[in-house]
Amino acid sequence: MPATLQFWFDFASTYSYLSAMRIQQAATMKGVAVEWQPFLLGPIFAEQGWTTSPFKIYPAKGQYMWRDMERLCAARNLPFQRPESFPQNSLKAARLALAVEQGDRRAAFVQAVYSTQFASGHDISDPAVLSDCLAASGSAPDAVQRMSDPKIKADLFEQVARAKALHIFGAPSFIIGNELFWGDDRLDDAVSYASSYFT
Amino acid sequence: MPATLQFWFDFASTYSYLSAMRIQQAATMKGVAVEWQPFLLGPIFAEQGWTTSPFKIYPAKGQYMWRDMERLCAARNLPFQRPESFPQNSLKAARLALAVEQGDRRAAFVQAVYSTQFASGHDISDPAVLSDCLAASGSAPDAVQRMSDPKIKADLFEQVARAKALHIFGAPSFIIGNELFWGDDRLDDAVSYASSYFT
């Protein structure tokens, strides 16, 4: 079995943007394949009694997060623009990420969605924005209609159930076997672990 | 003015243990001095509506934190033992850390308290344990009586007010000028920033 790492992300998550833009390269360098696993944090946060992002509920933490993102993106030469609306509704984008086949095409779509949101400041709940992301990442732009596909809706529901069963409580999260790594700060540890776990 | 970094910690904080045990070396290597700033997270958490550690309030996050600590301590060859009681009452230890003069002696006391709690599993709310930490770190063991000194109590109250004014919301936190860095994961960034900020 090839070394594989599951990358669980919510499109509303700022720190998942950091990981989405570098995970492919970090994993490839260690011979690890990436499974792109979109899910929704909303239902998981709701079980903790949160009705929005903890960065809204706890303003000091939110203020810090934006400054931290600015510093990290600057250090990585990664474009960053704080979107006007936060957190954005990531439901349609998550469904479409599931609709795009696993692998390079899904990776490209995911990166396009994160970039349009956090590098260009666009609203990813807008189907026109998502259609552009599909086109830019090599999928048919009219695949945007699959955001209403009952099969895809059910698939995303199942993804959230899987995330809960894996004890995922935030994003980005990385899963290798029974090990959970949380946060962009653990991406390198997760890749190293995946590399050794499968050899 | 020499390059200086403020290290804000609560003795109940697991991730502060990680930083306390390595900050002196990390800072010295970059010509940065460390100011050891004990405070209490309790009053800050209380303002957010939390009556205990978020690792107790959110069990999935708590379960993850212990596993994360195990992995990080193993990777660093740092002894780690999960104490029976968590979070421990850090009030007396914080007062005593303020009572010990700033500098090497305070650093040694702080490391002794973290080690007895997270390497040996002892209860740091026990004055006998704290007395041993004082002795082991070159202070008079009967200085433990200063935990009841009204001047020291007032000093700690003031420390918490300073932490709030600095927008500190967790521990460990590192302050250089107006920049806040949160978490052991940001220790190296904070030291590098301090090194460049003062030159």
Side-chain angles (χ1 to χ4, degrees):
Chain A
M1 188 177 179
T4 304
L5 169 159
Q6 295 178 9
F7 170 36
W8 289 79
F9 55 90
D10 180 320
F11 282 111
S13 154
T14 48
Y15 289 105
S16 296
Y17 167 53
L18 297 178
S19 292
M21 303 313 279
R22 71 187 181 101
I23 193 169
Q24 200 81 282
Q25 186 179 1
T28 301
M29 280 176 61
K30 298 239 177 187
V32 172
V34 177
E35 275 181 16
W36 298 72
Q37 302 288 1
F39 76 113
L40 298 176
L41 275 171
I44 290 172
F45 284 170
E47 288 189 349
Q48 300 183 166
W50 295 345
T51 54
T52 182
S53 163
F55 296 125
K56 299 285 272 193
I57 300 171
Y58 307 114
K61 201 166 185 171
Q63 184 183 342
Y64 172 79
M65 179 275 287
W66 292 113
R67 180 67 189 129
D68 194 42
M69 284 293 296
E70 271 180 8
R71 287 189 306 226
L72 293 169
C73 288
R76 298 177 188 188
N77 286 315
L78 191 63
F80 180 65
Q81 184 175 328
R82 181 174 168 173
E84 274 184 42
S85 128
F86 179 85
Q88 294 194 4
N89 187 324
S90 54
L91 177 65
K92 295 169 196 158
R95 284 183 186 155
L96 290 176
L98 275 181
V100 176
E101 70 176 318
Q102 182 67 266
D104 289 347
R105 190 154 295 193
R106 183 181 292 181
F109 174 71
V110 171
Q111 292 177 331
V113 173
Y114 276 115
S115 290
T116 204
Q117 182 183 194
F118 292 118
S120 306
H122 294 149
D123 183 351
I124 62 163
S125 69
D126 179 349
V129 168
L130 293 171
S131 184
D132 286 348
C133 291
L134 285 164
S137 57
S139 293
D142 63 0
V144 75
Q145 290 160 15
R146 297 202 66 195
M147 71 190 188
S148 307
D149 182 336
K151 165 74 170 60
I152 297 294
K153 289 182 181 182
D155 285 352
L156 183 57
F157 197 85
E158 177 62 23
Q159 281 289 99
V160 174
R162 284 180 65 200
K164 283 182 193 172
L166 291 165
H167 306 293
I168 287 174
F169 58 88
S173 286
F174 312 100
I175 297 275
I176 305 103
N178 290 319
E179 289 288 326
L180 165 64
F181 294 84
W182 171 54
D184 180 69
D185 293 320
R186 293 290 174 277
L187 171 55
D188 298 308
D189 287 351
V191 169
S192 294
Y193 182 78
S195 172
S196 63
Y197 181 76
F198 287 91
T199 55
Chain B
M1 189 176 178
T4 305
L5 169 159
Q6 295 178 8
F7 169 36
W8 290 80
F9 54 91
D10 180 321
F11 282 112
S13 154
T14 48
Y15 289 105
S16 296
Y17 167 54
L18 296 178
S19 292
M21 303 313 278
R22 72 188 181 101
I23 193 169
Q24 200 81 279
Q25 188 180 0
T28 301
M29 280 175 61
K30 298 241 177 187
V32 172
V34 177
E35 275 181 17
W36 298 72
Q37 302 288 2
F39 76 114
L40 298 176
L41 275 171
I44 290 172
F45 284 170
E47 288 190 351
Q48 300 184 168
W50 295 346
T51 55
T52 182
S53 163
F55 297 125
K56 299 284 273 195
I57 299 171
Y58 308 113
K61 200 166 186 171
Q63 185 184 341
Y64 173 79
M65 180 274 287
W66 293 113
R67 180 66 189 131
D68 195 41
M69 284 293 296
E70 270 179 8
R71 288 189 305 227
L72 292 169
C73 289
R76 298 177 187 187
N77 286 315
L78 192 62
F80 180 65
Q81 184 176 328
R82 181 174 169 173
E84 273 184 42
S85 129
F86 179 85
Q88 295 194 3
N89 187 323
S90 55
L91 178 65
K92 295 169 196 159
R95 285 182 185 156
L96 290 176
L98 275 181
V100 175
E101 70 177 316
Q102 182 67 267
D104 289 348
R105 189 155 295 191
R106 184 181 291 180
F109 173 71
V110 171
Q111 291 177 331
V113 173
Y114 275 114
S115 290
T116 205
Q117 182 183 192
F118 293 118
S120 306
H122 295 149
D123 182 351
I124 62 163
S125 69
D126 179 350
V129 168
L130 293 171
S131 184
D132 286 348
C133 290
L134 286 165
S137 57
S139 293
D142 63 0
V144 75
Q145 290 161 17
R146 296 203 66 194
M147 71 191 188
S148 307
D149 181 336
K151 165 71 169 62
I152 297 294
K153 289 183 181 182
D155 285 352
L156 183 57
F157 198 84
E158 177 62 23
Q159 282 288 99
V160 174
R162 285 180 66 199
K164 283 183 193 172
L166 291 165
H167 306 294
I168 287 174
F169 58 89
S173 286
F174 313 101
I175 297 275
I176 306 103
N178 290 319
E179 289 288 325
L180 164 64
F181 294 84
W182 171 55
D184 180 70
D185 293 321
R186 292 290 173 278
L187 172 54
D188 298 309
D189 287 351
V191 169
S192 294
Y193 182 79
S195 173
S196 62
Y197 181 76
F198 288 91
T199 55

